[in-house]
Amino acid sequence: MPRKQQTYIVLDVETTGLDVTKEKMIEFAAVKLVNGKIKDRYETLINPEQHIRHSSFLVHNISQEMVEDAPKIDEVMPKILEFIGDYPIVGHNVVFDYSFINEASKALYGRIIPNKTFDSQAMFREVFPEIGRAHVWTPVTA
């Protein structure tokens, strides 16, 4: 009997800042995993049409100059939604990424995305509780 095909979208979003109500996406990167193998990828910078906070730049190292000629969210959102489809989404602290995708979808189309999510950070903490809670984040230096 053939094994049921399992497809997941593993993604990461970079933003101008942390507040989903004020900040915007500046990068979307994702892979489509089918039965544990990468079958497709989609990555794009996004012009947020607003300033990138210095504190955010220190995290992702994406500068204002890097996004000034990038497509705007209304140009890339259809591609993002097509790529993720209705597949489950996996990400590290996925609620952050998911909330920014949802905000963009609400602003452009008046609806949120229905995808289920799985948080790899929560999974990591469950498997390695002594490491997961003690992790110290160090920002990238410019």
Side-chain angles (χ1 to χ4, degrees):
M1 184 169 221
R3 189 171 91 161
K4 182 180 175 189
Q5 183 170 300
Q6 294 182 336
T7 303
Y8 297 93
I9 304 299
V10 180
L11 60 75
D12 187 39
V13 168
E14 302 299 346
T15 64
T16 58
L18 299 176
D19 186 341
V20 70
T21 64
K22 297 177 184 172
E23 308 298 343
K24 304 292 181 203
M25 285 191 286
I26 58 172
E27 183 181 40
F28 175 90
V31 294
K32 185 177 292 181
L33 293 179
V34 179
N35 293 331
K37 296 191 181 338
I38 296 174
K39 294 297 182 183
D40 200 3
R41 334 172 166 253
Y42 179 64
E43 179 180 2
T44 185
L45 289 174
I46 304 165
N47 183 335
E49 301 183 276
Q50 71 182 52
H51 178 72
I52 297 172
R53 293 182 184 278
H54 183 69
S55 57
S56 294
F57 169 79
L58 292 176
V59 172
H60 49 59
N61 218 22
I62 299 172
S63 69
Q64 205 71 43
E65 295 77 24
M66 292 169 69
V67 297
E68 67 186 20
D69 293 327
K72 296 179 175 85
I73 191 65
D74 62 331
E75 298 172 64
V76 299
M77 197 62 184
K79 296 172 188 172
I80 290 171
L81 294 177
E82 180 181 347
F83 189 84
I84 65 174
D86 61 354
Y87 300 114
I89 295 172
V90 179
H92 206 67
N93 192 23
V94 74
V95 71
F96 179 82
D97 305 273
Y98 191 76
S99 65
F100 274 88
I101 296 167
N102 266 324
E103 275 303 307
S105 183
K106 284 191 310 192
L108 292 168
Y109 311 116
R111 61 183 167 83
I112 61 171
I113 61 173
N115 306 57
K116 291 182 181 178
T117 60
F118 297 94
D119 189 346
S120 61
Q121 183 177 34
M123 291 180 217
F124 180 82
R125 286 181 175 161
E126 200 167 303
V127 174
F128 301 103
E130 68 286 350
I131 298 172
R133 303 251 184 253
H135 175 70
V136 177
W137 174 78
T138 306
V140 175
T141 55

